[in-house]
Amino acid sequence: MEQPRVFDRIADDERLDAVGDALRRGVHAVLRPGVVKDLLHGVFLGHPLHPALVQVPIGCFASAAVLDIGGNSRDAARLIGLGVLSSVPAAAAGLADYADSQQDHRRVGVVHAAANSAALVCYVASLALRAKGRRRGGVLSAMAGLTFSMAGATLGGDLAFRRAVGANHSEHASRVGPADWCDLGYVEQFAESKPTRRMAGDIPVLVVRRGEDFAVLHDQCSHMSGPLSEGELTEVDGVDCVQCPWHGSVFRLDDGRPAHGPATAPQQRLDSRVRGSRLEVKMA
Ligand code: FES
């Protein structure tokens, strides 16, 4: 029988839940929904912020290793200092995403965070050793830090590319949703201001009736595929929105853009029209 990959074994390991759940509760206690949380998720970018921020410490640490090998310990120490400082916002953005992820992802996330924390400890120790004139110890400590950092980055890649953390879970709707008008049923079947789920061809859609108008979005949340039709209608800055029931992302009904994270990508939107007494939709 084929052995599960090491990362899959981590994702299945329930022993990580005690630490993972405590960390999640801690992040939620500190980071309440609002501007800072949205900023850390990257809502303003339309893209997760964490992968962009981690480029700085990883680049600094890798470059410092090259300088150390070349004997330029002084500039290596400067880069390590910059790498340590830039790790702080990168970790904050990662923790924000971590706290709004699902349990198997959090297990991998805990190990990812532990590897990066170990790297940070090694780099701080490296700076301390260099400050005392112990260059050899400082270089060895930095090399240990780079090893932990690469392990952390590999786990981050597993989260992003295998487990689709941070990916847009609504993007495929533009390709598999109905390109031509598709019937959703009689108009009177849709109650006023009540999220309703229907199938439009191969994709589930959320329909919200607002008088004579209809807002229609892909029903799978772009964050992690949560069912928007089971969410609550709400208002942000006077704009009608729907809130995902899973992690609280809020999307504008008019254009599908996220008003609040953790989602950063918009929901795919569908055009609608009433023909006779029936509602029809197609991908916008
Ligand atoms: S699935 Fe996470 S906010 Fe919707």
Side-chain angles (χ1 to χ4, degrees), residues 61-85:
F61 295 150
S63 303
V66 174
L67 290 173
D68 268 336
I69 290 167
N72 187 348
S73 184
R74 186 188 170 97
D75 287 338
R78 288 192 177 126
L79 279 178
I80 289 172
L82 181 58
V84 168
L85 287 178

Side-chain angles (χ1 to χ4, degrees), residues 76-82 84 122-132 138 141:
R78 288 192 177 126
L79 279 178
I80 289 172
L82 181 58
V84 168
C122 289
Y123 279 115
V124 171
S126 172
L127 289 176
L129 289 166
R130 288 166 201 255
K132 289 180 186 162
S141 188

Side-chain angles (χ1 to χ4, degrees), residues 31-44 49 259-261:
L31 201 56
R32 311 302 300 175
V35 177
V36 175
K37 187 170 184 291
D38 284 344
L39 193 72
L40 290 173
H41 286 306
V43 176
F44 70 101
L49 184 61
H260 294 301

Side-chain angles (χ1 to χ4, degrees), residues 131-218:
K132 289 180 186 162
R134 294 169 59 186
R135 179 185 175 275
R136 185 179 160 78
V139 171
L140 287 175
S141 188
M143 292 302 169
L146 188 63
T147 306
F148 281 121
S149 179
M150 291 298 110
T154 306
L155 284 156
D158 181 81
L159 282 167
F161 297 113
R162 185 174 171 91
R163 293 169 214 286
V165 174
N168 177 357
H169 289 247
S170 180
E171 195 273 339
H172 65 285
S174 64
R175 280 173 279 112
V176 299
D180 208 350
W181 292 108
C182 166
D183 182 74
L184 288 194
Y186 286 106
V187 166
E188 67 262 24
Q189 292 174 335
F190 296 92
E192 180 75 19
S193 297
K194 181 177 181 301
T196 306
R197 185 180 194 269
R198 287 284 188 278
M199 289 302 293
D202 290 333
I203 64 165
V205 294
L206 159 76
V207 182
V208 179
R209 181 176 187 172
R210 296 177 296 175
E212 297 304 306
D213 294 327
F214 291 83
V216 186
L217 300 176
H218 183 211

Side-chain angles (χ1 to χ4, degrees), residues 9-22:
R9 288 209 295 271
I10 294 172
D12 291 341
D13 194 339
E14 296 178 4
R15 292 171 300 178
L16 294 164
D17 291 346
V19 177
D21 290 348

Side-chain angles (χ1 to χ4, degrees), residues 223-268:
H223 177 235
M224 278 284 161
S225 303
L228 296 187
S229 54
E230 294 175 23
E232 302 271 323
L233 296 185
T234 182
E235 227 181 74
V236 175
D237 298 332
V239 177
D240 290 336
C241 296
V242 63
Q243 182 164 39
C244 178
W246 283 9
H247 309 105
S249 291
V250 176
F251 298 93
R252 296 174 176 86
L253 289 177
D254 288 338
D255 56 15
R257 282 188 302 134
H260 294 301
T264 58
Q267 283 306 115
Q268 294 291 336

